Amino acid sequence: MSSIQFDPTTHPHRRHNPLTGEYVLVSPHRTKRPWQGQTEAPQASNLPQYDPKCYLCPGNERAGGAKNEPYTSTFVFENDYAAVLPPPGPGAPPAPHPLLTTEPVIGGCDVIIFHPRHDLTLARLSIPDIEKVIAQWCAVYDRRGHQEGIEYVQIFENKGSMMGCSNPHPHGQSWSLSAVPSLPSTELTNLKKYSLAQAQTSSAPTGPKGRPCLLCEYAHFEVGVPHEQGRVVFKNEHWVALVPWWAIWPFEIMLLPYKRHVPSLLSLMPEEKHSFAEALSNITKRYDNLFKCSFAYSMGIHQRPVPRRADLPPLAELEDEDNVAHLHLHFAPPLLRSATVRKFLVGFELMAEPQRDLTPEQAAQRLRGCPDVHYLDTLEAESKPVAHWCQTE
Amino acid sequence: MSSIQFDPTTHPHRRHNPLTGEYVLVSPHRTKRPWQGQTEAPQASNLPQYDPKCYLCPGNERAGGAKNEPYTSTFVFENDYAAVLPPPGPGAPPAPHPLLTTEPVIGGCDVIIFHPRHDLTLARLSIPDIEKVIAQWCAVYDRRGHQEGIEYVQIFENKGSMMGCSNPHPHGQSWSLSAVPSLPSTELTNLKKYSLAQAQTSSAPTGPKGRPCLLCEYAHFEVGVPHEQGRVVFKNEHWVALVPWWAIWPFEIMLLPYKRHVPSLLSLMPEEKHSFAEALSNITKRYDNLFKCSFAYSMGIHQRPVPRRADLPPLAELEDEDNVAHLHLHFAPPLLRSATVRKFLVGFELMAEPQRDLTPEQAAQRLRGCPDVHYLDTLEAESKPVAHWCQTE
Ligand SMILES: [Zn+2]
Ligand SMILES: [Zn+2]
């Protein structure tokens, strides 16, 4: 036994991610080293409300030749360069070697525009406007998830040029496939294992058949930790946003309902949707306020792979194995210490294991310390000139 | 059964990676879509042979205050801002919840400088100079791997500013830890499973106890495929470089010995080391020639976690479970279609599953088509002005 007392803000350590079974290496002592890496150019400033060259603005022509409707709220269309194609598809070819297997995939990819205004983001939308985005997520999940041959619907948003997304017009995507992709498949496997292996000891909500749910249990624990010491960034009546114990990205957030087991978007009650919109608004504002820029991130919604088939009897719901899924959103932002310094997942992290310097508790504290009024609104209220879209510190 | 014939260059499909158990989604029909993403600024041109401000050049002072030796070949020093620290470390703290576990980590991080010249890379080094780099990799693996408490040595190189590496001086790193990181741990688990589950059917070399080795088997199959149809980029007496069936990165390469089962760098015979240097030179030259730039990548060496303890009897070698490892190098380069257009692993790829457009067979064909004489040497031979370090097309 070592006589040194463990201090999570000083001693290198690994944390286990029970959703993926993988680890993250935490090197908290490094937060003081000088920065020698790349800085990103700040993004273009002062975006127009309408951009005639934007293929997502209302009424504009897209690259494929189709024209957007003159929409006034949200707008959904099929991606002109979809990663997967609708049926019919080919059958699986014979494997040239048992190690070399091929699985044909069919499906469809949708673009979900959040708002007609080119210059807004979730952080700048009103709560009712965010509720419309949530309604579209529900509708796409419902529609695609009931299509013949679709086994999984992945809704996500990729925001910011440093995430490879060149168009600032607020939008997300949905890819629907005939197979459950690697990461959600691993998460579902681990949720199922937890559900079967663990005996419930806490007063957390439970999943199907009264069995424990890994995420109900985890969220329940986190909201009970005194906030000054914990990882919670924001909490309201139904949702909690936290920097997970096992976070990889500097300011990674998991957003999930904590009051009851919620398998998918379609299980949300109206007041839970309202609470969801409020939480999305709150955390995206904190993100923008952190470095006074339009914060880049990838966001993904994980839930049960597809909705329950409509022809199943309602009583089967409690027995449905796919209900072990617990709805949650991952936010993976690359920014590290300013609007222009990003984290790269390369080298050791790509070849061995993700690594972080700032602890999740330190990141949560930074985010809790950010105002939940958007910095641009503060500036406007003070009648200062409108700030840049993205500024260096 | 579908009546459509599967065509790997047309139909979306998934390929399984038997080393990680994960999949990659291949969307070959998308290779013709217009590019709308970010382009990277080309890297600084015409580097000096010595840079007085470079902390890796001979005789210069580093950020930590230490001074580099006036080295004339390779040079190894302990990283001044190591991600892990030497013992003694603390014991594991009690878990605040069974889901929230902490594992203290000890170890050491080394920087391995490949050459005194600031302006060279592996692609521009002579074979004898690359052999010196290999000798240092062997020495670091041997030295660190025999240290008390070290369970894993990860040697890697992170090259290019788009990989977050700001210093072009040719160098790699080695992180040695008291734990086996997530990715190599998964690979070792799958290598062990394969070794125990499969009956050998081919004439490929075998691993310990005459049991099949996943990578011996895979490499043996790939070198037997007619090269015009296959994934082999380069092959010599002992080593093969190929774009794996399950490659994620556009021009990803796996480099490994294929003539016999080689658990680690320390098992290499002198002629295998020479052949290794030749292969490294060949593929890094092809990489640079692909887009006429100093090609960015992350490279990692996977092998048995640490060398066999010296006090074990020699006969135990064949029985040693860690010998199921088969030495291999992964090259993960982000460039997609020119020196300035990169691939981002974001959105769907971060939240669900990696995706690629170009098939591995198409990528291998492109790399086979590149000359194995470095473009800068061709230009110099033709007495043209020295080309830029990195050019746009
Ligand atoms: Zn998830
Ligand atoms: Zn490997």
Side-chain angles (χ1 to χ4, degrees):
Chain A
M1 269 307 284
S2 171
S3 60
I4 304 171
Q5 186 77 25
F6 178 80
D7 171 8
T9 65
T10 304
H11 295 118
H13 60 280
R14 298 166 92 209
R15 299 186 185 200
H16 182 250
N17 180 341
L19 275 174
T20 62
E22 297 184 349
Y23 290 81
V24 56
L25 176 62
V26 187
S27 309
H29 63 289
R30 287 220 299 185
T31 47
K32 285 165 198 84
R33 79 196 158 124
W35 180 252
Q36 297 174 313
Q38 180 173 343
T39 58
E40 296 277 325
Q43 215 180 327
S45 59
N46 297 329
L47 291 171
Q49 297 193 9
Y50 165 78
D51 179 354
K53 280 178 285 186
C54 168
Y55 67 96
L56 298 175
C57 274
N60 288 3
E61 195 174 297
R62 300 202 298 270
K67 219 171 189 160
N68 296 327
E69 283 173 27
Y71 64 94
T72 55
S73 169
T74 57
F75 179 59
V76 176
F77 64 88
E78 188 146 1
N79 196 317
D80 300 308
Y81 300 97
V84 284
L85 300 173
H97 182 281
L99 285 170
L100 278 57
T101 58
T102 305
E103 185 187 315
V105 173
I106 57 114
C109 299
D110 302 294
V111 176
I112 303 158
I113 305 182
F114 297 166
H115 196 275
R117 265 187 54 187
H118 185 76
D119 61 329
L120 296 183
T121 61
L122 283 181
R124 303 273 287 144
L125 292 186
S126 68
I127 305 290
D129 280 343
I130 297 178
E131 289 186 291
K132 287 175 195 153
V133 175
I134 293 170
Q136 278 296 1
W137 288 341
C138 293
V140 167
Y141 174 70
D142 195 17
R143 178 170 58 84
R144 286 293 192 178
H146 281 110
Q147 277 181 6
E148 179 78 30
I150 295 301
E151 295 294 338
Y152 188 79
V153 179
Q154 179 63 59
I155 297 167
F156 63 97
E157 180 191 1
N158 199 23
K159 174 172 177 275
S161 67
M162 75 178 63
M163 299 308 274
C165 177
S166 58
N167 194 327
H169 198 116
H171 70 288
Q173 296 185 58
S174 171
W175 290 17
S176 305
L177 314 172
S178 55
V180 183
S182 300
L183 176 59
S185 170
T186 300
E187 289 194 356
L188 285 165
T189 300
N190 286 320
L191 286 163
K192 277 177 197 163
K193 264 192 213 158
Y194 189 90
S195 160
L196 296 171
Q198 307 294 320
Q200 183 86 10
T201 54
S202 78
S203 56
T206 52
K209 301 182 198 173
R211 287 198 188 123
C213 162
L214 196 162
L215 285 176
C216 283
E217 184 66 40
Y218 177 59
H220 178 80
F221 172 79
E222 290 287 24
V223 297
V225 175
H227 279 202
E228 340 47 272
Q229 303 157 32
R231 287 157 292 276
V232 169
V233 173
F234 171 77
K235 179 170 77 84
N236 62 17
E237 181 62 18
H238 300 284
W239 291 75
V240 61
L242 50 86
V243 182
W245 175 261
W246 50 79
I248 290 174
W249 298 93
F251 295 97
E252 185 173 330
I253 279 182
M254 180 187 276
L255 175 62
L256 72 172
Y258 69 96
K259 281 281 177 68
R260 66 184 189 99
H261 182 73
V262 178
S264 83
L265 286 169
L266 296 185
S267 327
L268 288 173
M269 293 178 296
E271 64 272 27
E272 289 171 324
K273 287 184 191 171
H274 179 79
S275 188
F276 185 14
E278 192 182 76
L280 281 168
S281 173
N282 188 286
I283 61 174
T284 53
K285 280 191 182 113
R286 283 174 198 276
Y287 269 164
D288 281 11
N289 288 340
L290 185 62
F291 299 129
K292 299 261 193 301
C293 71
S294 185
F295 203 68
Y297 59 75
S298 277
M299 178 280 282
I301 301 182
H302 286 160
Q303 53 184 328
R304 57 173 287 162
V306 288
R308 205 162 54 88
R309 304 294 165 191
D311 52 1
L312 286 180
L315 274 176
E317 182 152 19
L318 278 175
E319 306 293 317
D320 192 339
E321 235 201 2
D322 283 337
N323 272 347
V324 295
H326 184 112
L327 174 65
H328 62 281
L329 287 77
H330 299 281
F331 286 83
L335 281 178
L336 183 56
R337 56 174 75 193
S338 76
T340 60
V341 176
R342 69 166 289 162
K343 175 192 175 71
F344 290 84
L345 217 65
V346 295
F348 181 85
E349 305 197 76
L350 206 55
M351 297 299 162
E353 183 165 291
Q355 185 266 339
R356 62 181 294 135
D357 293 350
L358 196 72
T359 68
E361 295 75 27
Q362 290 168 329
Q365 190 177 28
R366 291 282 305 275
L367 288 165
R368 276 198 306 273
C370 289
D372 57 6
V373 174
H374 198 276
Y375 72 95
L376 289 179
D377 294 329
T378 316
L379 288 164
E380 276 162 15
E382 292 168 2
S383 350
K384 284 189 188 157
V386 173
H388 281 173
W389 175 261
C390 214
Q391 306 179 299
T392 49
E393 290 202 310
Chain B
M1 268 307 284
S2 170
S3 60
I4 304 171
Q5 186 78 25
F6 178 82
D7 172 6
T9 65
T10 304
H11 295 117
H13 59 282
R14 298 166 92 210
R15 300 186 184 199
H16 182 249
N17 179 342
L19 275 174
T20 62
E22 296 184 349
Y23 290 82
V24 57
L25 176 64
V26 187
S27 308
H29 63 290
R30 289 220 297 185
T31 48
K32 287 166 196 83
R33 80 195 157 125
W35 179 253
Q36 297 175 314
Q38 178 173 346
T39 60
E40 295 278 326
Q43 214 178 330
S45 60
N46 298 327
L47 291 172
Q49 298 191 10
Y50 165 79
D51 178 351
K53 278 177 285 185
C54 167
Y55 67 95
L56 298 175
C57 273
N60 288 2
E61 196 175 295
R62 300 201 299 270
K67 219 169 190 163
N68 295 328
E69 283 174 27
Y71 64 94
T72 56
S73 170
T74 57
F75 178 59
V76 176
F77 63 89
E78 188 146 0
N79 196 317
D80 301 309
Y81 300 96
V84 283
L85 301 172
H97 182 280
L99 285 170
L100 277 57
T101 57
T102 304
E103 185 188 316
V105 172
I106 57 112
C109 299
D110 301 294
V111 176
I112 303 158
I113 305 181
F114 296 167
H115 197 275
R117 264 185 57 184
H118 185 77
D119 62 328
L120 296 182
T121 62
L122 283 181
R124 304 274 285 144
L125 292 184
S126 69
I127 305 288
D129 279 343
I130 296 178
E131 290 185 292
K132 287 175 195 154
V133 174
I134 293 170
Q136 278 296 2
W137 289 340
C138 294
V140 166
Y141 174 70
D142 195 15
R143 177 170 57 84
R144 285 293 193 178
H146 281 110
Q147 277 181 6
E148 178 78 29
I150 295 301
E151 294 295 337
Y152 188 79
V153 179
Q154 179 62 59
I155 297 167
F156 64 97
E157 181 191 2
N158 198 25
K159 174 172 176 275
S161 66
M162 75 177 64
M163 300 307 275
C165 177
S166 58
N167 194 328
H169 197 116
H171 71 287
Q173 297 185 58
S174 172
W175 291 15
S176 305
L177 313 173
S178 52
V180 183
S182 301
L183 176 60
S185 171
T186 299
E187 290 194 358
L188 285 165
T189 300
N190 286 318
L191 285 163
K192 275 177 199 164
K193 266 192 210 156
Y194 188 91
S195 160
L196 295 171
Q198 309 293 321
Q200 184 86 9
T201 54
S202 79
S203 56
T206 51
K209 301 181 199 174
R211 289 202 187 121
C213 162
L214 196 162
L215 286 176
C216 282
E217 185 64 40
Y218 177 60
H220 179 81
F221 171 79
E222 290 287 22
V223 297
V225 175
H227 279 203
E228 340 46 272
Q229 303 157 33
R231 286 158 292 276
V232 168
V233 174
F234 171 78
K235 179 171 78 82
N236 62 17
E237 180 63 18
H238 301 285
W239 291 75
V240 61
L242 51 86
V243 182
W245 174 262
W246 51 80
I248 290 173
W249 297 94
F251 295 96
E252 184 173 330
I253 281 182
M254 182 188 275
L255 175 62
L256 73 173
Y258 69 95
K259 282 280 177 69
R260 66 182 190 98
H261 182 73
V262 178
S264 83
L265 287 169
L266 296 186
S267 327
L268 289 171
M269 293 179 296
E271 64 270 29
E272 290 171 324
K273 286 185 191 173
H274 179 78
S275 190
F276 184 14
E278 194 183 74
L280 280 169
S281 173
N282 188 287
I283 61 174
T284 53
K285 280 191 181 110
R286 283 175 198 276
Y287 268 165
D288 280 9
N289 287 340
L290 185 62
F291 300 129
K292 301 260 194 298
C293 71
S294 185
F295 202 68
Y297 59 74
S298 277
M299 178 280 281
I301 302 182
H302 285 161
Q303 54 183 328
R304 59 173 287 165
V306 289
R308 202 162 56 87
R309 305 292 164 192
D311 53 0
L312 286 180
L315 274 176
E317 183 151 20
L318 278 176
E319 306 293 317
D320 192 339
E321 235 202 0
D322 284 336
N323 271 347
V324 294
H326 185 115
L327 175 63
H328 62 282
L329 286 77
H330 299 280
F331 286 82
L335 281 179
L336 183 56
R337 56 173 76 194
S338 76
T340 60
V341 176
R342 68 166 291 164
K343 175 193 176 69
F344 289 84
L345 217 65
V346 295
F348 182 85
E349 305 199 76
L350 206 54
M351 296 300 161
E353 182 164 292
Q355 185 268 339
R356 61 180 296 136
D357 293 349
L358 195 74
T359 68
E361 294 75 27
Q362 290 168 329
Q365 192 176 27
R366 291 281 304 277
L367 288 166
R368 277 197 306 273
C370 289
D372 57 6
V373 174
H374 198 277
Y375 71 95
L376 289 179
D377 293 330
T378 316
L379 288 164
E380 276 163 12
E382 290 168 6
S383 351
K384 283 190 189 158
V386 174
H388 280 175
W389 175 259
C390 213
Q391 305 179 300
T392 48
E393 287 200 309

